[in-house]
Amino acid sequence: MDNHFQKEIEELRLKVLEMAAYTEKALVQANQAYAERDTDLAQQVIDNDYAINSLECDIDNLSLKLLALAQPVAQDLRIIVGIMRLIVNLERIGDEAVNIAERSLILAHRPPLSYNPTLEELAKVSLEMLRNALTAFKDEDTDAAQRVCDMDARADELDVSVIKKLIDHMLKESPAIERSVHTILISRSLERIADLSTNIAECVIFIVKGVNIKHRCSRI
Amino acid sequence: MQPAKNVKMYARNLDFYYGDFKALHDVNLDFGENEVTALIGPSGCGKSTFLRCLNRMNDLIPISRVEGAILLDGDDIYAPRVDVVQLRRRVGMVFQKPNPFPKTIFENVAYGLRVNGVRDKQYIAARVEESLQRAALWDEVKDRLHSSALGLSGGQQQRLCIARALAVEPEILLMDEPASALDPIATQKIEELIHILKKNYTIIIVTHSMQQAARVSDITAFFYMGKLIETGETEIMFTRPKNKQTEDYITGRFG
Ligand SMILES: Nc1ncnc2c1ncn2[C@@H]1O[C@H](COP(=O)(O)OP(=O)(O)OP(=O)(O)O)[C@@H](O)[C@H]1O
Ligand SMILES: [Mg+2]
C-alpha cells in the first residue's frame, strides 16, 4: 500500500539519486580535466558545484519536514536518518571534486609531470567506490555496500604510494616541487573520496539493516 | 529460559473466548517490575481483552472463558481461591474514557479505600492528598475537593481516575488508551505521570498512538488478530523490528 508518506519518501530518494548523479559527474569530469589538462572542463566542475549544494539543502529540508510531520519509525525512520547522513558525505565528495578541478587548473598551466599510473589507478578505484556505493543505495544492496567498505584499504595504499613517489621525485628535481605538491593534494582528495564513499556504503547498511558499522560500532 | 529482569506478572499460553469466538491465541508475555509495557495493534486485535484478563475484568462477561495462566508474583490469578476484589486492588485499571463517579473529587479518590473497609478519616484524607499529588492533579483541585468531579475538564477527570486507582496502592496499573480523548497538554501530563509512576508501579498501557508507545514504554508488544506477534525493547521495536507485520503496522503500511 502506497500512502501519502511513502510517496514523499520516494520523492526524497529520487532527489538523492539526482544529487548522486551530479556528484558522480563532477568526479568524472574532475578526473578527466586533470588527465587531459582541460581547463574548461575543470572550470565547469567548479561552476556546477552550487547545484550539488542546493540539492543538499533541499533534501535536508524535506527530511526535516518528514521527521517532524510524519514522525516516522522503523525503516521509514532509518531511510530518512540514513539519507541525512549520506548527503553530507555526498556534498563533501562534490567539494573534493572541486579541489581536484582547482589543482588541475593550476597544473594545466605548468609543464606536465611524467605519467603516473598509480594516481590513475587511484582515480579509477575511488570513482568505482563512489559508483558502487550509490548503486548500493539505489538497490538497497548491502553486499555491494560491504564491497565498497572492503575496497577502502586499496585506496589508502594507492594514495601512500603516489605520495611516496612524488616525494622521491621532489628530492631529485626541485623545480618540480610545486607541481608535485598540487598532485599530492589531488591524490589526497581521491583518497578522501574513497573514505566518503565508504561512509555512504555504511549509510546504506544502516538503512537496510539498522546496524551501525561505522567505527565498528557493531558488526554485522 | 530464565528472564534477566524481575518479572512481576506473566501470561502463559493464554487463550480467551467470547462464547465460540477465540479472541486470544496462546499469548505468552512477561511484565517486568517497574517497567512500562505498551500493547499496540489494530482495532479488534485483542488488546483490551488481554488487558482485562490481567485483573479478571472479563469475569463480568458471562459467556467468556479463559485457558492458560496469568501469574502475579508467582501465583495464578485464576486459581479457585483468589479473592477478585483483592486482586483488583493490586492490579488497578484506568479506562479510555474518564469515568468519575457523580460524587465529589474527594469521594472519588476515597472510594476504593472505603470499599476496602478503611474507616480512619485522617488516613483517608492523607491518602487522597497523596494520590492526587501523584496524579499531578493536587494543585488544580486542592481548593475544591468537595465539589463535583463532573465539573472537571476531561484531562483532569482522567488524572482523577488515575488518582482513584492509585489511592488503593496497587502494584500494577493497567491503562486502556488513557489519553485518547485528551488534548496534547493533558496527554503530555499523563505521559509525564507514567514516567514518574513507573518508579513505584508496573504499568501496562494500551495505545493507538505509535508515538505515545514510543515515548512512554520500555517494552512494546504488538498484537494482531488475537496473537502476540512480536515483543521487545521499545527502542528496537521502533527502529528495527524483526517481524514484517510489526514493521508494516508501525509504519502505517498495514492492510
Ligand atoms: N464483550 C464482547 N463480546 C463478544 N466479543 C467481544 C467482546 N469484546 C470484544 N469482543 C471481540 O473480541 C475481539 C477483540 O476485542 P478487543 O476489544 O480486545 O480489541 P482491541 O484490540 O482492544 O480493539 P480497539 O483498539 O478497537 O479497542 C474483537 O473481535 C471484538 O469484537
Ligand atoms: Mg480496546
Side-chain angles (χ1 to χ4, degrees), chain B residues 47-48 96 176-177 206 208:
Chain B
K47 305 178 294 294
S48 298
Q96 171 174 5
D176 199 344
E177 302 184 50
V206 170
H208 276 291

Side-chain angles (χ1 to χ4, degrees), chain B residues 16-21 58-66:
Chain B
F16 185 88
Y17 299 84
Y18 292 106
D20 293 337
F21 175 67
N58 289 325
D59 289 12
L60 307 174
I61 302 166
I63 51 159
S64 72
R65 185 159 56 88
V66 182

Side-chain angles (χ1 to χ4, degrees), chain A residues 64-75:
Chain A
L64 263 182
K65 187 188 102 181
L66 290 179
L67 282 180
L69 302 185
Q71 307 189 7
V73 295
Q75 67 183 71

Side-chain angles (χ1 to χ4, degrees), chain A residues 85-134:
Chain A
R85 288 181 191 158
L86 189 153
I87 59 170
V88 170
N89 289 288
L90 213 46
E91 191 272 333
R92 288 197 188 143
I93 291 175
D95 289 347
E96 295 296 349
V98 167
N99 286 341
I100 294 170
E102 284 170 351
R103 303 294 149 200
S104 305
L105 271 183
I106 298 166
L107 288 169
H109 299 292
R110 308 277 192 285
L113 288 170
S114 57
Y115 169 65
N116 189 334
T118 319
L119 186 61
E120 189 178 301
E121 171 75 5
L122 176 56
K124 226 183 81 198
V125 167
S126 62
L127 176 62
E128 191 184 331
M129 285 173 70
L130 175 62
R131 280 189 173 143
N132 288 346
L134 296 174

